[in-house]
């Protein structure tokens, strides 16, 4: 089935609800009103009959306990107008006045009219001529009998029918108005919902086309819509950030490759042109550049492996101090060669983490400390535990990091002093990898440093098994 627009759907839904509820109300109203009106008509008829008998008795009393045919005729003709056929007999049973005798044609027309009324009100209404008998007494003696005929069991006059049809018309008008209101409300609600959804569709289309800059305005009053547009906006934001990082990475890699490649090219060209002799020293320097390049490529590979998002951690329980000792042992030869002392402090601190990857963090930090500490200097690792956390610092008494560089040293390829670091062989990736590993553990890494006095890197990690484990 072809999908239908939200606007049409909602409008139809509201229309259907309105029609259904109106049909329901209409049926109930008709039943209840019909019933009520019927019992009202029956009641009214009973009261009217009592009133007629009282009136006839008054006519008899007014004429000094005798039948006055003139008065009876007046009353009888009035009653005929109300749908009642009067007949009065005296105590002996002789007819004093009879509407049928007086004007039978009018009586028949009236009865036919009533029958028509009742049929038009409800087709199949079962009714017919009914006559009730009422004895009249005066002074304790019988004065005669009043017979009242009508279309029964009850009847609706023209005025009653007018009232009922007026009521129905009113119901219909109310139905029309509420139907229109429902359609308008449905259309308005649909617009209210469809608008932000259309905005979202446009925005996601733009995102799909690679334009991450636009944001959907957060001005809807609907919680779910705000949540939807909010998550689309944050999706755009993170895609924008990813695109920015990707661009920067490409630019950084190009920049990193350019220098060694240019050096290589100029050296090789000079040798080809015969400007330089291809001796062992020059070929050795070319080899050095090639090694630098392959190291860079290795580190790039490592960086993508350690990318926090894709870093799969292999958790185990181990002693951080033991790991630090093992790392320092690995550096023993280099420490001795450079004439730098190493101090290890702190007792056993157990934590639940990826031992190999934290070993990598320690290696990166210690190798930096060693790299930037001159002969005769000192470096060290201090391991300690705090409330539910395990931590270590790697410190040195080396060159230190200028304050202006501190915010950037964890960024990839960032080197505080390019010339100095090129000599030291760094490519600016070690700290990026360390930070990625620490963050993947849910930990923090920070640095304090003073130029000429040394640096201190502190890593804090949750000591317990992570919830996701
Ligand atoms: P690299 O491979 O160049 O060492 P890192 O990411 O490990 O890259 O470090 C980035 C930069 O931070 C280094 O180039 C250096 O300028 C600075 N740095 C890191 N550790 C130290 C330290 N212990 N002492 C002084 N500078 C440091």
């Amino acid at each position: 089935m072809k999908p239908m627009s939200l606007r049409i759907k909602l409008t139809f839904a509201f229309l259907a609800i309105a029609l259904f509820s109106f049909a329901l109300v209409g049926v109930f109203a008709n039943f209840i009103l019909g019933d009520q009106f019927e019992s009202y008509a029956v009641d009214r008829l009973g009261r009217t009959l009592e009133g007629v008998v009282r009136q006839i008795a008054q006519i008899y009393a007014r004429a000094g306990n005798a039948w006055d045919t003139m008065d009876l005729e007046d009353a009888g003709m009035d009653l005929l107008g109300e749908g009642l056929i009067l007949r009065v007999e005296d105590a002996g049973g002789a007819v004093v006045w009879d509407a049928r005798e007086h004007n039978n044609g009018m009586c028949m027309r009236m009865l036919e009219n009533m029958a028509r009324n009742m049929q038009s009100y409800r087709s199949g209404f079962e009714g017919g001529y009914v006559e009730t008998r009422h004895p009249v007494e005066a002074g304790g003696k019988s004065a005669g009998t009043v017979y009242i005929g009508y279309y029964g069991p009850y009847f609706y006059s023209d005025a009653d029918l007018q009232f009922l049809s007026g009521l129905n018309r009113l119901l219909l008008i109310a139905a029309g108005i509420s139907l229109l209101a429902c359609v308008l409300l449905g259309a308005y609600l649909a617009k209210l919902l469809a608008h932000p959804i259309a905005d979202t569709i446009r925005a996601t289309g733009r995102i799909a086309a690679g334009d991450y800059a636009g944001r959907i305005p957060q001005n809807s009053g609907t919680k779910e819509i705000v949540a939807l547009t909010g998550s689309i906006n944050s999706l755009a934001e993170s895609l924008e950030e990813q695109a920015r990082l990707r661009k920067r990475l490409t630019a950084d890699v190009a920049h990193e490759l350019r220098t060694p490649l240019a050096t290589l090219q100029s050296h090789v060209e000079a040798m080809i042109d015969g400007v330089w002799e291809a001796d062992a020293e020059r070929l050795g320097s070319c080899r050095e550049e090639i090694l630098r390049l392959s190291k860079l490529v290795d580190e790039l590979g490592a960086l993508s492996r350690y990318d926090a998002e894709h870093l799969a951690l292999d958790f185990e329980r181990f002693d951080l101090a033991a790991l630090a000792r093992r790392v320092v042992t690995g550096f023993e030869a280099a420490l001795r060669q450079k004439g730098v002392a190493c101090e290890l402090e702190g007792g056993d601190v157990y934590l639940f983490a990826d031992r190999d990857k934290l070993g990598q963090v320690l290696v990166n930090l210690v190798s930096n400390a060693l790299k930037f500490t001159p002969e005769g200097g000192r470096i060290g690792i201090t391991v300690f535990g705090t409330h539910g956390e395990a931590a270590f610092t790697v410190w040195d008494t080396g060159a230190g990091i200028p304050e202006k560089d501190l915010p950037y040293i964890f960024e990839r390829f960032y080197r505080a002093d390019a010339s100095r670091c090129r000599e030291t062989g760094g490519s600016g990736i070690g700290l990026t990898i360390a930070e990625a590993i620490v963050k993947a553990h849910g930990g923090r890494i920070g640095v304090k440093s003073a130029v000429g006095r040394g640096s201190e890197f502190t890593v804090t990690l949750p000591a317990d098994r992570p919830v996701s484990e």
Side-chain angles (χ1 to χ4, degrees):
M1 202 176 72
K2 212 172 156 226
M4 209 187 261
S5 109
L6 184 67
R7 257 180 214 210
I8 297 177
K9 254 190 179 168
L10 266 182
T11 312
F12 269 129
F14 268 77
L15 191 67
I17 291 171
L19 278 174
F20 177 72
S21 52
F22 206 78
L24 212 68
V25 169
V27 168
F28 274 120
N30 249 319
F31 265 122
I32 293 166
L33 270 177
D35 262 19
Q36 291 279 324
F37 204 77
E38 194 179 302
S39 57
Y40 158 74
V42 171
D43 260 25
R44 187 184 56 180
L45 184 63
R47 278 197 308 276
T48 311
L49 295 182
E50 282 168 22
V52 170
V53 176
R54 260 198 314 277
Q55 189 191 353
I56 302 300
Q58 275 167 9
I59 289 175
Y60 184 76
R62 241 194 343 260
N65 285 352
W67 290 113
D68 180 340
T69 41
M70 289 293 282
D71 279 356
L72 283 179
E73 186 178 321
D74 284 349
M77 291 313 285
D78 283 350
L79 290 174
L80 197 58
E82 290 173 32
L84 300 174
I85 296 169
L86 180 72
R87 183 156 59 93
V88 180
E89 289 179 4
D90 66 13
V95 174
V96 183
W97 193 83
D98 185 349
R100 279 175 186 269
E101 273 179 20
H102 186 75
N103 191 342
N104 190 41
M106 202 169 156
C107 289
M108 292 316 289
R109 275 200 303 282
M110 185 278 291
L111 283 175
E112 277 163 21
N113 185 38
M114 291 304 172
R116 235 189 345 268
N117 276 1
M118 294 319 283
Q119 283 301 320
S120 77
Y121 168 68
R122 193 187 299 151
S123 66
F125 183 85
E126 281 179 14
Y129 184 71
V130 176
E131 194 174 69
T132 53
R133 184 177 171 280
H134 311 269
V136 180
E137 286 186 1
K141 280 198 289 178
S142 165
T145 313
V146 172
Y147 295 89
I148 308 167
Y150 53 89
Y151 186 84
Y154 62 93
F155 61 86
Y156 290 163
S157 67
D158 293 352
D160 292 338
L161 282 185
Q162 251 173 29
F163 171 75
L164 282 173
S165 78
L167 208 66
N168 271 333
R169 204 170 318 125
L170 219 69
L171 272 174
L172 271 175
I173 291 172
I177 291 174
S178 57
L179 224 64
L180 191 74
C182 275
V183 169
L184 289 178
L185 190 70
Y188 172 70
L189 271 183
K191 190 176 161 211
L192 217 66
L193 283 178
H195 211 69
I197 291 179
D199 278 352
T200 312
I201 292 169
R202 270 196 298 278
T204 45
R206 278 200 308 271
I207 292 172
D211 171 12
Y212 309 127
R215 297 285 179 272
I216 311 169
Q218 296 272 71
N219 49 11
S220 170
T222 315
K223 206 171 133 193
E224 286 77 6
I225 295 279
V226 171
L228 173 71
T229 48
S231 59
I232 299 273
N233 280 349
S234 49
L235 172 73
E237 226 160 80
S238 73
L239 283 174
E240 193 179 19
E241 172 69 9
Q242 299 252 328
R244 201 178 59 79
L245 285 177
R246 221 175 21 249
K247 265 190 211 153
R248 219 192 67 194
L249 177 65
T250 319
D252 287 350
V253 170
H255 178 82
E256 289 302 312
L257 293 178
R258 200 171 297 126
T259 319
L261 279 176
T263 316
L264 261 180
Q265 188 186 347
S266 62
H267 284 195
V268 173
E269 275 173 4
M271 285 186 246
I272 291 172
D273 295 346
V275 180
W276 275 2
E277 202 184 312
D279 57 19
E281 192 192 332
R282 283 177 179 139
L283 284 173
S285 118
C286 286
R287 186 170 162 270
E288 225 165 73
E289 287 303 326
I290 291 170
L291 283 178
R292 198 195 300 281
L293 274 173
S294 52
K295 187 174 170 229
L296 178 66
V297 170
D298 281 352
E299 283 184 336
L300 275 173
L303 185 61
S304 72
R305 259 200 319 283
Y306 286 122
D307 187 338
E309 279 167 47
H310 305 117
L311 196 54
L313 298 177
D314 200 1
F315 282 90
E316 64 184 297
R317 204 174 134 71
F318 63 92
D319 176 17
L320 195 55
L323 180 67
R325 276 196 296 277
R326 212 185 69 196
V327 169
V328 171
T329 312
F331 277 94
E332 249 165 19
L335 285 161
R336 205 174 310 119
Q337 193 184 347
K338 199 168 178 188
V340 171
C342 183
E343 294 167 21
L344 254 171
E345 268 178 80
D348 298 354
V349 175
Y350 279 88
L351 82 164
F352 199 76
D354 187 320
R355 188 211 301 252
D356 288 347
K357 299 213 168 61
L358 283 187
Q360 178 73 52
V361 174
L362 274 164
V363 166
N364 290 8
L365 293 178
V366 171
S367 83
N368 275 350
L370 180 59
K371 200 154 60 183
F372 297 104
T373 304
E375 194 181 341
R378 286 176 303 126
I379 69 167
I381 304 178
T382 310
V383 176
F384 55 99
T386 52
H387 328 279
E389 289 182 323
F392 62 87
T393 58
V394 176
W395 55 267
D396 64 67
T397 57
I401 305 164
E403 212 176 314
K404 69 172 174 48
D405 294 316
L406 275 180
Y408 308 108
I409 55 167
F410 292 101
E411 288 187 16
R412 59 168 78 97
F413 301 124
Y414 193 87
R415 290 178 297 239
D417 180 337
S419 58
R420 181 188 78 185
C421 293
R422 191 160 288 283
E423 275 165 33
T424 52
S427 53
I429 286 178
L431 286 181
T432 314
I433 290 174
E435 190 189 35
I437 294 174
V438 171
K439 279 196 172 161
H441 277 86
R444 312 182 292 279
I445 182 164
V447 59
K448 279 192 285 190
S449 188
V451 174
R453 299 238 300 275
S455 313
E456 183 180 289
F457 287 82
T458 304
V459 171
T460 313
L461 299 154
D464 296 327
R465 183 184 289 259
V467 180
S468 61
E469 255 291 308

